[in-house]
Amino acid sequence: MAKWTPKHEAPEPLEGPVVPVITGGTIIWFVLFLVQLPFYGWFDDHGHLWWLWTCLAGAALGLLGIRITRSRDAAIKRARAAAEAEPVPGTGQTHETEQAPAE
């Protein structure tokens, strides 16, 4: 059996508005929890109480996800700023001054 090897490089990951997407999902989970809360007795009687706790767990994990993605975005911005401030080898200029348009 031959070992599988990729024929080309993997594409770069897509970066999008991650924090707003996770925030929206967290809000949806929490709204679902609040909508189901008045029906606690019905869920308990029919053995579906786990639906309520699943929504609450989704909201709690969403809050954790918001914190993680916000810190990740901040780290990416810091890394980009540090990379732009590094001097270009052999020129003594930074990436910012090198890319500045001539007037």
Side-chain angles (χ1 to χ4, degrees):
M1 178 183 239
K3 183 177 177 182
W4 180 82
T5 56
K7 295 182 177 153
H8 49 75
E9 291 184 28
E12 290 292 320
L14 295 175
E15 291 292 332
V18 180
V19 175
V21 170
I22 293 178
T23 302
T26 302
I27 291 170
I28 290 171
W29 278 115
F30 190 67
V31 167
L32 287 172
F33 171 74
L34 292 177
V35 167
Q36 292 178 6
L37 196 56
F39 304 102
Y40 184 90
W42 185 89
F43 285 122
D44 193 23
D45 293 343
H46 291 87
H48 298 301
L49 198 55
W50 64 272
W51 290 3
L52 187 72
W53 303 125
T54 299
C55 293
L56 186 60
L61 290 173
L63 290 174
L64 181 64
I66 291 170
R67 181 174 176 175
I68 290 170
T69 54
R70 285 181 60 146
S71 63
R72 178 183 175 269
D73 283 351
I76 289 171
K77 288 178 185 175
R78 282 193 308 270
R80 283 187 188 147
E84 289 176 358
E86 287 180 2
V88 177
T91 63
Q93 298 177 342
T94 63
H95 290 280
E96 293 172 347
T97 58
E98 180 182 280
Q99 296 174 357
E103 292 183 29

